Amino acid sequence: MVDITPKSTTLRKAIAQAIVKVSKPETIQAIKNKAVPKGDVLECARVAGLFAAKRTADMIPDCHPLPIEFTSVSYEVEEMEVKVLVEIHTIYKTGVEVEAMHAASVVALTMYDMLKPIDKGVSIEQIKLVEKRGGKSDRQGKPG
Amino acid sequence: MVDITPKSTTLRKAIAQAIVKVSKPETIQAIKNKAVPKGDVLECARVAGLFAAKRTADMIPDCHPLPIEFTSVSYEVEEMEVKVLVEIHTIYKTGVEVEAMHAASVVALTMYDMLKPIDKGVSIEQIKLVEKRGGKSDRQGKPG
Amino acid sequence: MVDITPKSTTLRKAIAQAIVKVSKPETIQAIKNKAVPKGDVLECARVAGLFAAKRTADMIPDCHPLPIEFTSVSYEVEEMEVKVLVEIHTIYKTGVEVEAMHAASVVALTMYDMLKPIDKGVSIEQIKLVEKRGGKSDRQGKPG
Amino acid sequence: MVDITPKSTTLRKAIAQAIVKVSKPETIQAIKNKAVPKGDVLECARVAGLFAAKRTADMIPDCHPLPIEFTSVSYEVEEMEVKVLVEIHTIYKTGVEVEAMHAASVVALTMYDMLKPIDKGVSIEQIKLVEKRGGKSDRQGKPG
Amino acid sequence: MVDITPKSTTLRKAIAQAIVKVSKPETIQAIKNKAVPKGDVLECARVAGLFAAKRTADMIPDCHPLPIEFTSVSYEVEEMEVKVLVEIHTIYKTGVEVEAMHAASVVALTMYDMLKPIDKGVSIEQIKLVEKRGGKSDRQGKPG
Amino acid sequence: MVDITPKSTTLRKAIAQAIVKVSKPETIQAIKNKAVPKGDVLECARVAGLFAAKRTADMIPDCHPLPIEFTSVSYEVEEMEVKVLVEIHTIYKTGVEVEAMHAASVVALTMYDMLKPIDKGVSIEQIKLVEKRGGKSDRQGKPG
């Protein structure tokens, strides 16, 4: 684990994405209409993502425990896919990009788990960092 | 959460994959040579995956807690990517596909976290079920 | 911790309740209209309750870890209160009443946490067992 | 999750209560005499409460992880009930009232779990905030 | 992780020990008199051990999650040391010796943590398996 | 739990050890040659130790949650034993000695668990603090 004791505390933000691909338009309709038997997919998965953001250091060996001071989970719902976007802020010595990617992956897995009774062809694509601010390497990508 | 009290207990297996894409061949070399500063990437990520398999019900709302009776994490290391394969077995009333996908995603995220100091262009692709046995819907896919 | 190795495995069910009292009718309206800034209160709290049911043995010293095979969270929304009802099933050697009460309390606490920005007078009342089936002491109470 | 990055760090304190009602005076006697088969009820439940205080952000979706810098669990033992009081301090950007209420509820549930072999009529009443200091809304209630 | 799906389920028991050595007789007196400022050392540490037994699979990579069906923590208090004994039972496919050793180590660490304000010379010795029953290799050691 | 709100934040370091004794030289050879069936013992146990360091407050009742800002796990491999050394740094109000001892014990237990299929005589000896810096009582011991 990297020694961050000498690092200075700054505001850091990261946005990560995950893409959930479905195999038929009816699946997206069921999500929108809140007609999936296991519950409101987007809201359930959002809650799972809030918990996942906070538990990243529990799952990834070298991640430092850090004060998650903001997490938002949002969605862009397309015809055959849902893009999950997770944004996390902290004021600390190290960034939150892995936290954002971890939360995005858990949001996507929760969606997969809730959708599999109605669509056997769901997969998760492109978990990646979209934007990172604060620390020495600000970076801004282009959502896939 | 689906009521599984009436279901019968059978041997169930699932294999899931995740693909870790790197941006340069040197990253793969560093993995192979165990020259990544944070440690032995494949072994570290394997251990993170073992824990993740066991903690799936802690992260995904509708997953039932179940007796994980076997987990293996293996890798296919290519020129510009590593394919992560996680296989899980249980003898229980419900399958372990989400457990395998969850573990595969955590293996991939751990690799990402360990590789980011040496490669800023790593992403995670195609987290999906490859094979499933036991229960009513045996299925065998083709690894991406 | 009680030794349950000699006990026989049977289907066991428990229903527990918690009551969330609000201080003004507008709070109930905001819940119903999904107008609470932190999100959809009933759906969020339901997800927190699913996790809590599964983690009871992690929080209560003498609770045995057990296979939670069904959890449902439902609500009776009244004018000035919401009654939370959690039902849990298992096929195991010991009952799930503490699991149901623990989940009900976490559902109620999540509601409290989400409502406190709009209502400073929320409290939680009467966390209790409503019904219990299976095992040697079937019991049926009367929801408070 | 509310964005607390702009908030200033201050000393914050909260006291919450939970009331554990028993159905017969012998139950209180057994607690006082440390004659409950599962162990010393007040000491066991206190330990469960210490852990619960620290794990609140793991159970309640919108709670920020924060540095719990003091937790005390105390009891007022009456003829037919025990009042649980949990006091928590932090120096951080957000209060600890939900942490105190969560810990109080787990203390009460642990007491319930330990007492149920000797008293089938235990219930938990009135989990509420008693006092809150620091932050913009100091408040002092009256223990119920 | 070893594949235990083909193994048969039997009653398995394990007893493990840990020895907590103190540097002066007054420390043992304070334990016996419940005069340690942080609380009742033996009871607190016992509760920590109950939780630890249940969370072994969360801490040790290759340990299978299994139904802990009995845990007891007992002590032999000598003049300059306390021997911690943890006994665990399960009916499952694999033994509970690591669970017993893990719980014993957490009991000992909790004692260390509670005693360090009054004794700077506490250490933990000889965490080992004392007895194991069930499975193919029954074994009975001699407590150190 | 001790109230640390009035304490000042300083850099604190601790080094703890655990000794894993084996019963035959072949066991040490298997560790060195990475020939143990369950995996690379030293690397696996190191990862388990990284997680354990971060989860100390989850296992030990009075430990404050704190920002683990550095953890390293190293080994001194002798003929018949392995000395585990864990070093942890934080900048906070309280020390990390119990965190280091906890991580060392989990490293040792993971080694025990991985080695038991090839050596039935492994035990864990002398979990103790080796060095502590920062806070009011700097101390430097002599590794056993």
Side-chain angles (χ1 to χ4, degrees), chain A residues 1-2 4 53 55-66 92 94-100 102, chain B residues 38 109-110 112-114 116, chain F residues 50-51 54 68-69 71:
Chain A
M1 183 189 276
V2 173
I4 58 170
R55 298 178 68 190
T56 304
D58 237 23
M59 303 303 286
I60 310 296
D62 284 289
C63 279
H64 298 85
L66 51 77
Y92 195 56
T94 183
V96 281
E97 69 196 79
V98 177
E99 283 73 9
H102 180 239
Chain B
K38 283 189 174 181
L109 286 162
T110 300
Y112 175 92
D113 178 57
M114 295 183 79
K116 73 187 158 68
Chain F
L50 293 180
F51 282 121
K54 293 185 278 187
I68 302 284
E69 301 199 334
T71 303

Side-chain angles (χ1 to χ4, degrees), chain C residues 1-6 55-65 92-93, chain E residues 11 13 46-47 50-51 54-55 58 66-72 89-91:
Chain C
M1 183 190 275
V2 172
D3 188 353
I4 59 171
T5 54
R55 298 178 68 191
T56 304
D58 237 21
M59 303 302 286
I60 310 297
D62 284 289
C63 278
H64 297 85
Y92 195 57
K93 301 174 179 184
Chain E
L11 174 60
K13 301 182 181 185
R46 189 181 72 81
V47 175
L50 293 180
F51 283 121
K54 293 186 278 188
R55 298 178 68 190
D58 236 23
L66 50 76
I68 303 284
E69 301 199 334
F70 173 66
T71 303
S72 87
H89 301 176
T90 191
I91 297 180

Side-chain angles (χ1 to χ4, degrees), chain B residues 11 46-47 50-51 54-55 58 66-72 89-91, chain E residues 1-6 56-65 92-93:
Chain B
L11 174 60
R46 190 181 71 82
V47 176
L50 293 179
F51 282 121
K54 293 184 278 188
R55 298 176 69 190
D58 237 23
L66 50 77
I68 302 284
E69 301 198 334
F70 173 66
T71 304
S72 86
H89 301 177
T90 191
I91 298 181
Chain E
M1 183 190 276
V2 173
D3 187 353
I4 58 171
T5 53
T56 304
D58 236 23
M59 302 303 286
I60 310 296
D62 284 289
C63 279
H64 298 85
Y92 195 57
K93 302 173 179 184

Side-chain angles (χ1 to χ4, degrees), chain A residues 8-143:
Chain A
S8 56
T9 292
T10 57
L11 174 60
R12 289 148 190 276
K13 301 181 180 185
I15 302 175
Q17 71 161 42
I19 291 173
V20 177
K21 288 216 165 133
V22 302
S23 72
K24 50 185 179 184
E26 291 80 358
T27 306
I28 297 293
Q29 280 313 309
I31 295 172
K32 283 184 174 169
N33 299 341
K34 305 191 182 191
V36 174
K38 283 189 173 181
D40 179 342
V41 175
L42 301 183
E43 189 68 3
C44 273
R46 190 181 72 83
V47 176
L50 292 180
F51 282 121
K54 294 185 277 187
R55 298 178 68 190
T56 304
D58 237 23
M59 303 303 286
I60 310 296
D62 284 289
C63 279
H64 298 85
L66 51 77
I68 303 284
E69 301 199 333
F70 173 66
T71 304
S72 87
V73 178
S74 60
Y75 301 99
E76 293 173 12
V77 182
E78 309 292 343
E79 212 175 325
M80 290 292 282
E81 67 182 42
V82 177
K83 183 180 294 175
V84 176
L85 289 164
V86 176
E87 178 166 355
I88 300 185
H89 301 177
T90 190
I91 297 181
Y92 195 56
K93 301 174 180 186
T94 183
V96 281
E97 69 196 79
V98 177
E99 283 73 9
M101 290 175 70
H102 180 239
S105 76
V106 169
V107 171
L109 286 161
T110 301
M111 293 179 66
Y112 175 93
D113 178 58
M114 295 182 79
L115 294 174
K116 73 188 158 69
I118 63 166
D119 185 340
K120 299 294 178 205
V122 177
S123 68
I124 299 170
E125 308 284 332
Q126 286 184 300
I127 297 175
K128 70 176 193 188
L129 185 64
V130 176
E131 195 180 318
K132 181 184 163 184
R133 294 192 178 275
K136 67 184 172 207
S137 58
D138 264 37
R139 187 154 67 88
Q140 181 160 2
K142 207 168 101 299

Side-chain angles (χ1 to χ4, degrees), chain F residues 16 31 98 100 118:
Chain F
I31 294 172
V98 177
I118 65 167

